[in-house]
Amino acid sequence: MGIVRVGFIELWVRDLEASLGFYRGLLGFRLERQEGRSAYLRGYEELEWSLKLTQAPFPAVRTLGFKVDGEEALEALLRWAEEEGLPHREEADWGRPRILRVQDPFGYPLAFYHRAEKLERVLQRYHEHRGPGILRLDHFNVFSPEVGEATRYYRERLGFRLTEYTEDEEGRLWASWLHRKGNVHDIAFTNGEGPRLHHFAYWLPDPMAILRAADILAGAVQTDRIERGPGRHGISNAMFLYLKDPDGHRIELYTSDYLTVDPDHPPLRWSLNDPRRQTLWGHRTPKSWFLEGSPLLSLEDAPLPTRPSPLQGLPEHVI
Amino acid sequence: MGIVRVGFIELWVRDLEASLGFYRGLLGFRLERQEGRSAYLRGYEELEWSLKLTQAPFPAVRTLGFKVDGEEALEALLRWAEEEGLPHREEADWGRPRILRVQDPFGYPLAFYHRAEKLERVLQRYHEHRGPGILRLDHFNVFSPEVGEATRYYRERLGFRLTEYTEDEEGRLWASWLHRKGNVHDIAFTNGEGPRLHHFAYWLPDPMAILRAADILAGAVQTDRIERGPGRHGISNAMFLYLKDPDGHRIELYTSDYLTVDPDHPPLRWSLNDPRRQTLWGHRTPKSWFLEGSPLLSLEDAPLPTRPSPLQGLPEHVI
Amino acid sequence: MGIVRVGFIELWVRDLEASLGFYRGLLGFRLERQEGRSAYLRGYEELEWSLKLTQAPFPAVRTLGFKVDGEEALEALLRWAEEEGLPHREEADWGRPRILRVQDPFGYPLAFYHRAEKLERVLQRYHEHRGPGILRLDHFNVFSPEVGEATRYYRERLGFRLTEYTEDEEGRLWASWLHRKGNVHDIAFTNGEGPRLHHFAYWLPDPMAILRAADILAGAVQTDRIERGPGRHGISNAMFLYLKDPDGHRIELYTSDYLTVDPDHPPLRWSLNDPRRQTLWGHRTPKSWFLEGSPLLSLEDAPLPTRPSPLQGLPEHVI
Amino acid sequence: MGIVRVGFIELWVRDLEASLGFYRGLLGFRLERQEGRSAYLRGYEELEWSLKLTQAPFPAVRTLGFKVDGEEALEALLRWAEEEGLPHREEADWGRPRILRVQDPFGYPLAFYHRAEKLERVLQRYHEHRGPGILRLDHFNVFSPEVGEATRYYRERLGFRLTEYTEDEEGRLWASWLHRKGNVHDIAFTNGEGPRLHHFAYWLPDPMAILRAADILAGAVQTDRIERGPGRHGISNAMFLYLKDPDGHRIELYTSDYLTVDPDHPPLRWSLNDPRRQTLWGHRTPKSWFLEGSPLLSLEDAPLPTRPSPLQGLPEHVI
C-alpha cells in the first residue's frame, strides 16, 4: 500500500493556549503556524509538521496520519476504502494539498498523504532548541478489543511488519508492534476497550533527554503529568517517559529502540506476565496506563463508540 | 574533630562468593584483596579500599568508617570516647595500621582512621572499568528513632554540617543530611527503628551510568535487586538507584548532587509530604524503603538491639 | 534491486590475535566463531554476524556485503552482473548458504546475501556487554576517483537514495551519502585515489558511548589509534570517532543521525569549504583522513589497482 | 587563611550587550541584575552571583574573587596584605558589603569576601534552565612566568593544596593545580607570559552538557568561539570545552574531575611531553591555548605589565 511511516496526529484540545504551554512551552515543540483554532507543531528533525492541535469542545483524536510513498499509493488506498466500503473523504490542510481520510474496519480514523510542503531544516540550529529536544513523531499506540484481528489485517492489507508481540499462555494476542519505517513500530495495538488512542510517541535524541524531560516537568511543578517512567521497556528496548497533556492525551517520549528493516527479522514474543516486558528494570505499571485512553472521532467529527475487550484482566505487574 | 569524609564500610555477608558476584561481577567493583573470609574492594576513583565484605553467620554492618585528617584527630576522638564513656577499641586492618572504633551514644559502630596505604591509581584505566563505573563511596544513611538528637549531636560534637532536612508540620525532624566533604552528605539520619543502616552509597560518573546499572541488573535477570529508581531525588538533587545485595544490604548508586563547602550554606527544608522530596519526578517510594535496614554490630560483634521510633507513620507518597 | 542494508565486511588482517585484541578486547565486539584463520564478530543488536576478520599476508578488504530482501533479489543482481559483464561468483560462508560476489564497474568488491542463520538475541543481556557497546554495522565509506559517476550509478542501477552531498563551486561532486535502510547512509563515496575503502562504521547507542570509546582507547594507552574525534559531523549530524585498527583499517563509531525514509526527502547540499561540514563544531580534519584508505581485493583475492582522482586538493579546513 | 573556594570573577568587556548575548543568550547564564555598565550573572546551582561583566574601554580582568569562611579570615588576609606590603583596599558590591581586594606578590588582583546575599535557589527549576546548563564557577587558571614560586607561595601562605603538576625532565614546574574546595583546583598556574588570566571555568552537570554547548555554538554559527575541545583532560580527568568570549576572554566548560579532600591525597605528576596530559585522547592543543590570555588590572584599574617566562618552548603535542 506504500505506507512509509507515521506522519502526523491531530488532537482536539479544550484550551489551545494551555496545550501550547505544555507542548511548546515545556516540551519545546516548534510552533510553525497558528491559525484560527489550530496550531501546527513539529520536532527539530522533522521537515513536515507532525502535530496539529485544534481547540474543540472536548478532547479527542481526529486523525492518525501516515505518509505514503506517492500519489499512486493514495489511489490504491482509495480503492481499498471503496472496495471495503470504508467511510472516507479527501481534504487539504496547511501545506498538504491532498489528505485521504479513511475510517478503517476497526474504527481508527486514519489519514494518508504524500505531498507536503517542506519546512526549513532546523536540526542543527541547536541554539534554538528548547526543552528536552523533541526530534520526530515515532509511533501511535491504540487500544483494541480485537488485537489479533487488527494485527492480521494491518499486516496483510496494509503491509505492516510485526516486530514484537505479547501473548498469554493460551496463545491469545494481547499486544502487537508493527512497523513500516524500520524501527520497532509505527503502530501498536494494545488490548483494551477500543477503538481508542493509547498514546502517540516522539523520538528523543538519547536517554539523557528523557531524564531532562522529567526534570523539566518537575521544575514546572507538573509532576502530576508524569504517568510512568523514565524507564526502559523490555519490549522495544526503548527508554521512555509517559506524560499526560492538559486534556489527558498521553504522549510518550521515546528513544533507543533498534533497526528492523530486514524482511526476515524475527518477531519477538513476550509472555504476558513477564515482569521485564513492560519495564526491563522490573518497575510496575500504573493501572491508569492500562485503562485510560483518548476517544477517537468519526469522519464526521463525532465521538466513536467503544467496545470492551473480551480479554479481561491486567498483567500481574501493576501498581 | 577532624573528620574528612566517609571512608569505608564493613559488611557481614553470608556467602562471600555470592556477594562478590554482585559487587564485583555485576557492579564492577575492583577487588583488591581477598584473604580468609574477607574481601576488600574499591571504586575506580578511590586510592584506598572502601568496602570490606566478611563472610559471617548473619548479615550485619560491622563498621561505618570515616577518614580523619591526622593522628591528632584520632587522639581527640579517643578523648571524646573516653570522656563520654563510649565503648571503643583500636584495631588494624589491611594497609591501615590504626583504626579507632567507637560506638557512639546512639549505637552506631563508627570507625576512624587516617593512615591508609594508597593503592594504584586506576581512574584513567578506562579499558579495565567494568559495570556502570563505580567511582567512590559517597555516604551512609542510618535509621534513627531520635533523628533530632542525633543530628544535633553530630553537628555539635562531631563537626558535621547540615545541608537538608525533612520536617513535619509540628517542626519535628524526620530526616537530616549532614556533610564533611563538601557535597550533600557523608551521613544522613532517617526516622525509623534503629540504630540500623538504611543504605550506603557510591558515586557514579553521571546519570547515564545510573541507567546502565539498571540495565545490567535487568540483563542478569536480577530485577528483584532493584528496589527503587532510577530517579532523581528532590532532596540532594541526585540521580539514584537503590539495590539490595544478596544479603539484603541496600546500596545506592548516586550522582549529581551539589557543592556545599560554604560555611554559610543555608540548609534546605523539605516538608514531610512534599511529593517531590523523595523523587523530584513524583514517583512513589516502596514501603520497604522506609522499613527495611541492616542490623549493626556492637564492638563485640553482637547484633545491636533496636528501638522503635516515637514518630510513626509513613509519608503519604508511598506505594 | 532489493538491497536492504549494509550487511557485513570481510577484512584481511595480518595478525588475527592482535585484531581480536582491538575489536573484541577494546571495542567489545562479540566473537561468535573463530575457525581456522577467520573470526566472525557482531555488535550487540545484530542477529547476524557482520565483521569477518581473516588472517592474511597483507591488509585488505575482501568484501563489502549487503543484505537483500530475498532470493529474487539475488537473481536480479546475478542478471545485472551478467548483463554488465561484471566479474562475479557465488560462495557460502558460516551460516550463509549463498553469497553472490560481484565486482562492480568501479571495482568495489560487493557481496549480496539474503539467508543468514540468526544468532541469539543479546541486545538486552547488558551484563555481558563490554567496551562502549557496539550495536550494529551502519555503513561503508569508499574512496572514488569518480564520485559523480559512482553516485549516479548507485542511484540509478542499485536503487540507493541520496541524502547529502558535497559540491565545489563548479558543481562537481566531491562526496555523496546514499542509503537504503532509512538513515543517512549505507554507502558513501569520497573523492580520492580509488577504489579503496575509506572506513566502515558501527552504530553506538548514544554520544556518551562515543566518549567512552575514546576513554577506553586512552586507558589502554592506544591514543595513536584515535585518528579523529570525538566530534559531531555537520554532514549526517552524527557523533563520531574514527579509529585505526592494528592494520590501519579505519573504523568509525557513529551515532545520532536522522531518519530518511521519505521518498521525497530532500538531499542536503554542503559546500566543499564549509567549516561545519566535516565537523559541526569547526574542528579541522587531519590530512591522513583524506589520504589513507584500505586496499580492496579482486574476486581472485588480488589487490586492486587504484587510480588518482582528477579532483585534486584538500578542503581548507585541514590540519 | 580560611579560603573556601573560588567565588567570582569580574571581567571588563567592550560591549556589554554582545557579552550578554554570549554568556546569557548562548551559554544560558542567569542574569540576576543589570545596573549601569555592569551585569551580574550566575550558574543554576549557585546561591551567589559569580560573574560580573562591566563595560569598559578594553578587555581585562578586574578581580579574581575567593569566598572565605568568615570575617576573621578577612582580618587575617588584611594583616597578610599589610605585613607583605601588598596593595589592597576594601570595597562593596551588590549584595556583598565587604570585599577585600589585594594584589598578591605576583600581581594577581585577588578579592576576598565572606558575606553575600543569597539568591533564590533555582537548581531544580529545570524548566527555566537554558543553554548547556551552567552550574557553578569552578576555578581560575592564570599564566605565570614563575610557576614554581607562585605554587609554593599559594601552598604555604594561602593554604592551597596541590593536586596535580607538570614537570619537565629537569624537575622544573610548568604548571600546577591547587585546590581549597575539594576537587582538582580552585586555581591553576600555567607557565607563560604573566601575570595574565588563562581562563576561568564553570562546572557543567555531565559530559553530555559539554557536547550540547558545542552544538549550541555551532548552531549559532559561532564555531570560531570554540578554541579547543570537547575533550577529556588527562590532567584532572575532566571533560572540557574552551570558548573565547566576544572580548577574547577564555571560558572553560568543565565537568567530571574527582574528589581531593584527603589531606594525604598524593599530588599527581605529569611529564611535560606526555601526549595524554593535555588531552587524554591524544588530541593536540592549538598554539593559541598556550599563548593567549586576558590582561589583569591593578587595584587602580590600570593594565598590569607582564613579564615573559624564563621557561620557553611549547609542549611537543601542539598544532
Side-chain angles (χ1 to χ4, degrees), chain A residues 13-68:
Chain A
V13 299
R14 287 165 301 181
D15 179 343
L16 185 57
E17 285 315 305
S19 294
L20 287 174
F22 176 75
Y23 287 106
R24 184 197 198 190
L26 290 179
L27 297 187
F29 273 81
R30 223 178 128 93
L31 175 64
E32 291 297 337
R33 182 185 177 94
Q34 186 169 358
E35 186 181 346
R37 300 177 310 138
S38 291
Y40 299 82
L41 303 101
R42 63 162 162 157
Y44 294 103
E45 181 183 316
E46 294 175 313
L47 300 177
E48 307 177 352
W49 60 263
S50 61
L51 174 62
K52 181 179 177 184
L53 303 173
T54 297
Q55 179 136 349
F58 55 90
V61 179
R62 189 169 178 270
T63 44
L64 300 171
F66 291 88
K67 173 100 174 178
V68 301

Side-chain angles (χ1 to χ4, degrees), chain D residues 113-148:
Chain D
Y113 75 103
H114 174 63
R115 273 181 296 155
E117 194 181 318
K118 299 297 180 185
L119 303 170
E120 190 181 8
R121 190 173 188 258
V122 296
L123 175 58
Q124 294 183 327
R125 292 168 65 167
Y126 285 105
H127 60 308
E128 296 180 358
H129 293 202
R130 290 291 176 270
I134 299 284
L135 288 182
R136 61 177 184 262
L137 184 60
D138 188 81
H139 63 260
F140 305 132
N141 184 315
V142 294
F143 274 123
S144 169
E146 52 224 338
V147 170

Side-chain angles (χ1 to χ4, degrees), chain A:
Chain A
M1 285 296 201
I3 297 171
V4 175
R5 61 169 173 89
V6 286
F8 70 92
I9 187 168
E10 180 176 353
L11 298 178
W12 274 17
V13 299
R14 287 165 301 181
D15 179 343
L16 185 57
E17 285 315 305
S19 294
L20 287 174
F22 176 75
Y23 287 106
R24 184 197 198 190
L26 290 179
L27 297 187
F29 273 81
R30 223 178 128 93
L31 175 64
E32 291 297 337
R33 182 185 177 94
Q34 186 169 358
E35 186 181 346
R37 300 177 310 138
S38 291
Y40 299 82
L41 303 101
R42 63 162 162 157
Y44 294 103
E45 181 183 316
E46 294 175 313
L47 300 177
E48 307 177 352
W49 60 263
S50 61
L51 174 62
K52 181 179 177 184
L53 303 173
T54 297
Q55 179 136 349
F58 55 90
V61 179
R62 189 169 178 270
T63 44
L64 300 171
F66 291 88
K67 173 100 174 178
V68 301
D69 62 10
E71 296 301 314
E72 305 73 18
L74 289 176
E75 294 306 323
L77 286 159
L78 180 57
R79 282 196 301 277
W80 161 67
E82 287 169 349
E83 287 167 16
E84 298 273 325
L86 301 170
H88 60 282
R89 74 166 48 158
E90 297 202 5
E91 65 185 33
D93 206 334
W94 177 49
R96 303 199 181 164
R98 187 183 181 195
I99 296 173
L100 172 62
R101 298 181 63 201
V102 183
Q103 194 178 357
D104 85 2
F106 308 95
Y108 301 108
L110 309 181
F112 303 97
Y113 74 102
H114 174 63
R115 272 182 296 155
E117 192 182 318
K118 298 298 182 187
L119 304 170
E120 189 181 9
R121 189 173 189 261
V122 296
L123 176 57
Q124 294 182 327
R125 291 167 65 167
Y126 285 105
H127 59 309
E128 296 179 359
H129 293 203
R130 289 290 177 269
I134 299 283
L135 288 183
R136 61 177 184 262
L137 184 59
D138 188 82
H139 63 261
F140 304 133
N141 184 313
V142 294
F143 274 124
S144 169
E146 52 224 339
V147 170
E149 287 167 59
T151 302
R152 190 165 51 246
Y153 192 92
Y154 270 66
R155 295 176 76 178
E156 292 174 2
R157 297 304 307 272
L158 296 173
F160 284 83
R161 290 175 175 175
L162 184 70
T163 56
E164 306 203 14
Y165 61 100
T166 301
E167 247 180 19
D168 62 17
E169 295 176 8
E170 288 94 74
R172 294 175 302 188
L173 206 58
W174 285 66
S176 66
W177 286 261
L178 299 152
H179 87 96
R180 284 295 308 162
K181 72 179 167 306
N183 70 342
V184 171
H185 53 323
D186 288 274
I187 192 163
F189 294 99
T190 294
N191 176 63
E193 181 189 329
R196 289 182 299 160
L197 179 72
H198 186 278
H199 68 265
F200 61 105
Y202 274 82
W203 182 268
L204 265 69
D206 54 63
M208 287 295 286
I210 301 281
L211 303 184
R212 191 139 49 105
D215 282 339
I216 288 170
L217 271 285
V221 196
Q222 298 200 17
T223 53
D224 54 333
R225 300 220 174 289
I226 300 177
E227 185 191 29
R228 182 181 169 201
R232 186 189 292 281
H233 284 305
I235 290 166
S236 82
N237 196 49
M239 280 286 305
F240 67 84
L241 178 68
Y242 290 96
L243 305 175
K244 291 289 202 97
D245 84 359
D247 287 284
H249 297 306
R250 186 185 284 112
I251 177 173
E252 180 183 15
L253 308 183
Y254 179 93
T255 193
S256 299
D257 65 357
Y258 57 89
L259 194 70
T260 61
V261 291
D262 287 2
D264 58 348
H265 186 83
L268 185 63
R269 182 190 181 277
W270 292 87
S271 168
L272 185 60
N273 283 317
D274 183 337
R276 302 197 313 164
R277 182 178 69 90
Q278 286 283 350
T279 303
L280 189 66
W281 304 333
H283 294 169
R284 295 180 180 210
T285 305
K287 205 175 286 183
S288 63
W289 199 85
F290 292 97
L291 300 178
E292 298 174 7
S294 295
L296 306 176
L297 295 180
S298 74
L299 296 201
E300 288 75 35
D301 287 349
L304 278 181
T306 60
R307 288 158 285 129
S309 171
L311 297 179
Q312 289 292 326
L314 296 175
E316 293 166 2
H317 224 67
V318 166
I319 301 173

Side-chain angles (χ1 to χ4, degrees), chain D residues 172-241:
Chain D
R172 293 175 303 187
L173 206 59
W174 286 65
S176 67
W177 286 261
L178 299 152
H179 87 95
R180 284 295 308 162
K181 71 179 167 309
N183 69 343
V184 171
H185 53 325
D186 289 274
I187 192 163
F189 295 98
T190 294
N191 176 61
E193 181 188 329
R196 289 182 299 160
L197 179 72
H198 186 279
H199 68 265
F200 61 104
Y202 273 82
W203 183 267
L204 266 68
D206 53 63
M208 288 295 287
I210 301 282
L211 304 183
R212 190 138 50 104
D215 283 338
I216 287 170
L217 271 286
V221 196
Q222 299 200 17
T223 53
D224 54 334
R225 300 221 173 288
I226 300 178
E227 185 190 31
R228 181 180 171 203
R232 187 189 292 280
H233 284 305
I235 289 167
S236 83
N237 196 48
M239 281 286 305
F240 66 84
L241 178 69

Side-chain angles (χ1 to χ4, degrees), chain C residues 1 80 83-84 152-160:
Chain C
M1 285 295 200
W80 161 67
E83 286 167 16
E84 298 272 326
R152 190 165 51 247
Y153 191 92
Y154 270 66
R155 295 177 76 178
E156 293 174 1
R157 299 302 306 272
L158 296 173
F160 283 83

